[in-house]
Amino acid sequence: MSEHAKHVVEIGLSAAIVSVVDDSPSVLVVHTNAGDDALPFGPFDPLAHRTLESGLRTWVGEQTYLDLGYVEQLYTFGDRGRHTLNPGENARVVSVGYLALTRQCGESKAPGTLWRGWYRFFPWEDWRDAKPPILDAVITPALARFVAEAPDKASADARRDRVRLCFGGKDSGWDEEKVLERYELLYEAGLIAESARDGRTARDHILPLGDRMMFDHRRILATAIARLRGKMKYRPVVFELMPPAFTLLELQRSVEAISGIRLHKQNFRRLVEDQGLVEGTGKVAAPARGRPAELFRFRREVLRERPSPGVRLARQRAGV
Amino acid sequence: MSEHAKHVVEIGLSAAIVSVVDDSPSVLVVHTNAGDDALPFGPFDPLAHRTLESGLRTWVGEQTYLDLGYVEQLYTFGDRGRHTLNPGENARVVSVGYLALTRQCGESKAPGTLWRGWYRFFPWEDWRDAKPPILDAVITPALARFVAEAPDKASADARRDRVRLCFGGKDSGWDEEKVLERYELLYEAGLIAESARDGRTARDHILPLGDRMMFDHRRILATAIARLRGKMKYRPVVFELMPPAFTLLELQRSVEAISGIRLHKQNFRRLVEDQGLVEGTGKVAAPARGRPAELFRFRREVLRERPSPGVRLARQRAGV
DNA sequence: CCTATATATACTCAAATAGAGCACAAGTGG
DNA sequence: CCACTTGTGCTCTATTTGAGTATATATAGG
């Protein structure tokens, strides 16, 4: 071994592979023996692959039979204690998280893997129907306790501000992009399963706040959701999740599914059409009920025309 | 060695440490024997450090005697051929790039390091005085050749669109955030020194387009500039580069230095003050010439009040 | 002292964008 | 036909952004 042996680590690649099925944004998970879901992950072999991304595409293709369309690097995590199976074990794994989008859905063809709606892991992130009840019922009181338990006043103030910025307050509303900030706050407040697993808090402090995942995979998924929610607005990435032809309502439902909020229908259409993101096909969809809608397709040309084409979110006020 | 030996790599941490001196955004570089500048970089020791960032902070502190304020991870590069010293050598280094901001400037106290204005590496990125002459003189004709040399029409169209999106065209203007896209285009078009070094193009194809750097460090720096130019707009990171008290013009000059464009003075002040980013100190600056300006300080409270406080760019039209 | 010049700061005005809603069209199932 | 559902066109207003005018306060030089 070389004198640099102590610096030697393994690179793990984790992928949040996302698809949208029936208005439900889903992520491909590996169901493990431990009971927890994990994101598909594999080692990076620097001899076999020229880039990290090509390494990722290869083993994802082999393991999941999926052909990834859009792939984007999220973040590289090196935290000890967040990636070890057993607390005693010395972690030498650095994991690079990726976001990948794919159109294919339905049952996963790979053994041991399945599609899971991502709000199972983040029930407080889905504001489409209403404010998620878990917020008032569980999270807000628990965070109020977290503020109250602060060692001194300055620390309490800081905690209070952080809670308000993450989860909104009287004046400030819900920011759907702060997925990671919210998860990290809950983790650091010692309220979720991973906090106890990583030895940050006592087991009886834990609340039932969504399903836990292996390693730091719930954190990677939070990063993925946040990135997708943000990116959607200035890059036409939603269309990676849509079939070749779709109605504007279907498109809107996908955007709503991802962002977790309801949009104003007319304004959504205006923004999408004014930006030249779609073009009509002339055909109409088979109407389940109601007036049949025109089928649209993505206009690839926008990528050349506009500097930052994306689906701006035209929020719909709650209760309308 | 374990059976995973083939997956074992070294992690290198590279940092673009940025400061602004006299309206010139600067980056700390290590002057190497090879003549090229390099970003400070060092190995990551997973046994000594719990996180990648703490590892970075430690050796940067040791090597440069700088106390880093703001630190942000940029991207993890694993490309073979972009990080090797010699083309024959088998790269087993994955480098994690970081952006760090620091107020301290003046001469660097660390031996072998010095501050360099970053536009030395990207002369086409500084539009403050005028459109950089290198664009019309060198870059535009070279890229026109790149388009003309495309193997077929579809490829030529794609190249033309890419050039226009990166460098602007008749209708679309200059997007100061596309630093990385522009660098990558020049690299892939085989026009810059690194392209030849990495064996992508012949040596006589290379044009004098800014100073080259070691490894993929110019790419990391491009990523850093792009990130900072973008982040500035929705996070108050500029203040990490400002002294405790400053005039609004000094603040504007710093923002202009980083973004590489001129701003509209009155609108800049309106945006900064309306957002509550600064508060007057009551004192006034010693006037070199002209009416003395009030000294302001950063209002830390905005971090608690506003969801995304940042310095919006109120562009000044060229020629005014 | 007066003027040219440079900077600071207040305020106005128009264009573009975003947010909310009304009205009506075109289908389905009873 | 009616109740209901979805689609589509259009209006109205508030806010934000982009650009410019006007005026205040300093220095330097004749």
Side-chain angles (χ1 to χ4, degrees):
Chain A
M1 278 196 164
S2 79
E3 58 169 336
H4 285 122
K6 65 166 182 167
H7 295 146
V8 145
V9 296
E10 253 187 77
I11 305 272
L13 302 173
S14 313
I17 303 172
V18 170
S19 203
V20 177
V21 226
D22 296 330
D23 298 351
S24 174
S26 303
V27 62
L28 192 75
V29 300
V30 181
H31 194 69
T32 65
N33 295 334
D36 296 351
D37 289 334
L39 296 178
F41 63 101
F44 170 63
D45 179 358
L47 298 182
H49 297 287
R50 207 181 60 78
T51 68
L52 293 168
E53 195 181 306
S54 68
L56 178 88
R57 294 193 116 99
T58 306
W59 71 245
V60 166
E62 287 166 1
Q63 277 190 29
T64 68
Y65 306 103
L66 285 174
D67 198 18
L68 299 182
Y70 181 82
V71 169
E72 170 177 344
Q73 191 185 104
L74 291 172
Y75 202 80
T76 301
F77 302 94
D79 288 23
R80 189 160 55 214
R82 271 217 176 176
H83 200 278
T84 48
L85 268 171
N86 313 309
E89 191 181 339
N90 237 334
R92 289 163 159 243
V93 175
V94 167
S95 71
V96 185
Y98 277 84
L99 163 67
L101 305 181
T102 181
R103 220 166 310 247
Q104 278 150 290
C105 227
E107 286 294 292
S108 172
K109 287 175 205 90
T113 69
L114 66 162
W115 291 99
R116 287 258 203 239
W118 75 29
Y119 292 121
R120 154 198 292 258
F121 305 105
F122 303 97
W124 55 89
E125 293 290 346
D126 187 3
W127 285 62
R128 283 176 296 175
D129 293 335
K131 180 173 183 177
I134 198 173
L135 278 164
D136 287 333
V138 186
I139 295 180
T140 307
L143 288 174
R145 233 171 304 137
F146 175 64
V147 171
E149 284 165 4
D152 53 81
K153 178 157 186 317
S155 161
D157 286 349
R159 287 186 180 185
R160 194 182 352 261
D161 288 331
R162 189 167 167 208
V163 168
R164 193 171 43 75
L165 272 168
C166 284
F167 288 90
K170 269 183 281 293
D171 40 302
S172 56
W174 178 259
D175 179 356
E176 78 282 349
E177 287 192 42
K178 293 202 165 61
V179 187
L180 181 62
E181 286 88 335
R182 285 186 282 267
Y183 175 75
E184 295 269 298
L185 175 54
L186 294 175
Y187 177 85
E188 288 171 34
L191 300 174
I192 61 170
E194 283 90 335
S195 315
R197 185 203 60 196
D198 300 347
R200 296 182 118 266
T201 189
R203 226 154 245 304
D204 56 6
H205 205 270
I206 296 307
L207 298 171
L209 294 176
D211 287 3
R212 51 185 271 181
M213 295 183 89
M214 291 260 289
F215 306 132
D216 56 350
H217 288 187
R218 194 143 60 135
R219 179 160 61 152
I220 296 178
L221 182 54
T223 313
I225 297 173
R227 188 78 133 260
L228 183 54
R229 284 183 172 180
K231 195 119 198 178
M232 218 172 31
K233 294 173 188 163
Y234 61 94
R235 282 292 127 94
V237 283
V238 223
F239 300 102
E240 301 280 343
L241 301 167
M242 302 299 296
F246 46 83
T247 70
L248 291 183
L249 187 59
E250 286 166 356
L251 181 64
Q252 184 181 339
R253 291 286 176 251
S254 292
V255 174
E256 290 174 339
I258 293 165
S259 63
I261 55 174
R262 283 272 167 243
L263 302 180
H264 184 283
K265 192 198 285 198
Q266 297 92 318
N267 290 347
F268 176 82
R269 300 165 60 80
R270 177 177 63 185
L271 289 172
V272 164
E273 295 200 290
D274 285 2
Q275 284 207 100
L277 283 167
V278 296
E279 61 189 353
T281 62
K283 292 174 197 144
V284 287
R289 346 177 251 299
R291 171 174 168 181
E294 189 177 357
L295 283 169
F296 289 81
R297 75 169 72 91
F298 173 48
R299 274 188 72 242
R300 301 222 152 266
E301 305 90 277
V302 277
L303 291 167
R304 305 172 167 184
E305 298 163 2
R306 292 212 151 229
S308 64
V311 186
R312 302 277 186 286
L313 302 191
R315 279 185 112 106
Q316 173 78 278
R317 229 189 25 205
V320 181
Chain B
M1 278 197 165
S2 80
E3 59 170 335
H4 284 125
K6 66 167 182 167
H7 296 147
V8 145
V9 297
E10 254 186 77
I11 306 271
L13 302 173
S14 313
I17 304 171
V18 171
S19 204
V20 176
V21 226
D22 296 331
D23 297 352
S24 174
S26 303
V27 62
L28 191 74
V29 300
V30 181
H31 194 69
T32 65
N33 294 335
D36 296 350
D37 288 336
L39 296 178
F41 64 102
F44 170 63
D45 179 357
L47 298 183
H49 297 287
R50 208 183 58 80
T51 68
L52 293 169
E53 196 181 305
S54 68
L56 179 87
R57 292 193 117 97
T58 307
W59 70 246
V60 166
E62 287 167 1
Q63 277 189 27
T64 68
Y65 306 102
L66 285 174
D67 197 17
L68 300 183
Y70 182 82
V71 168
E72 171 178 342
Q73 192 185 103
L74 291 172
Y75 202 80
T76 301
F77 301 94
D79 290 24
R80 189 161 54 215
R82 271 216 175 177
H83 200 278
T84 47
L85 267 171
N86 313 309
E89 192 181 339
N90 239 334
R92 288 161 160 247
V93 176
V94 166
S95 70
V96 185
Y98 277 84
L99 163 66
L101 305 181
T102 182
R103 222 168 308 249
Q104 276 150 290
C105 227
E107 286 293 293
S108 172
K109 287 173 206 94
T113 68
L114 66 162
W115 291 99
R116 286 257 202 241
W118 74 30
Y119 292 120
R120 155 198 291 258
F121 305 105
F122 303 97
W124 55 88
E125 293 290 345
D126 186 2
W127 285 62
R128 283 176 296 176
D129 293 335
K131 180 174 183 176
I134 198 173
L135 277 164
D136 288 333
V138 185
I139 295 180
T140 307
L143 288 175
R145 234 172 304 138
F146 175 64
V147 171
E149 284 165 2
D152 53 81
K153 180 161 183 314
S155 160
D157 286 348
R159 286 186 179 185
R160 194 181 354 259
D161 287 331
R162 189 168 167 209
V163 168
R164 191 171 45 74
L165 271 168
C166 283
F167 288 90
K170 268 182 279 294
D171 39 303
S172 56
W174 179 260
D175 179 356
E176 78 281 350
E177 287 192 41
K178 292 200 166 60
V179 187
L180 181 61
E181 286 88 334
R182 285 187 281 268
Y183 175 76
E184 294 269 294
L185 174 56
L186 296 175
Y187 177 85
E188 288 171 33
L191 301 174
I192 61 169
E194 282 91 336
S195 315
R197 184 202 62 195
D198 300 346
R200 296 183 118 265
T201 188
R203 228 154 243 302
D204 57 6
H205 205 270
I206 296 306
L207 298 170
L209 295 175
D211 287 2
R212 52 185 272 180
M213 293 184 91
M214 291 261 288
F215 306 133
D216 55 353
H217 287 187
R218 193 143 61 136
R219 178 160 62 152
I220 297 177
L221 182 54
T223 313
I225 296 172
R227 188 77 132 261
L228 183 53
R229 284 182 172 181
K231 194 117 199 178
M232 218 173 29
K233 294 173 188 164
Y234 59 96
R235 284 291 128 94
V237 284
V238 222
F239 300 102
E240 300 282 342
L241 302 166
M242 303 297 297
F246 46 82
T247 69
L248 291 184
L249 186 60
E250 285 165 357
L251 180 65
Q252 182 181 340
R253 291 285 176 252
S254 291
V255 174
E256 289 174 339
I258 292 164
S259 63
I261 55 175
R262 283 272 168 245
L263 302 180
H264 184 282
K265 191 198 288 199
Q266 297 91 320
N267 290 347
F268 176 81
R269 302 169 113 273
R270 178 177 62 186
L271 289 172
V272 163
E273 295 200 291
D274 285 2
Q275 284 207 98
L277 283 167
V278 296
E279 61 190 353
T281 61
K283 292 174 196 144
V284 288
R289 353 178 243 301
R291 173 175 167 179
E294 189 176 356
L295 283 170
F296 289 80
R297 75 169 72 92
F298 173 46
R299 275 188 71 242
R300 300 222 153 266
E301 305 90 279
V302 277
L303 290 167
R304 305 172 168 186
E305 298 163 2
R306 293 215 150 225
S308 62
V311 185
R312 303 278 186 286
L313 303 191
R315 280 186 111 104
Q316 173 78 280
R317 229 187 28 203
V320 180

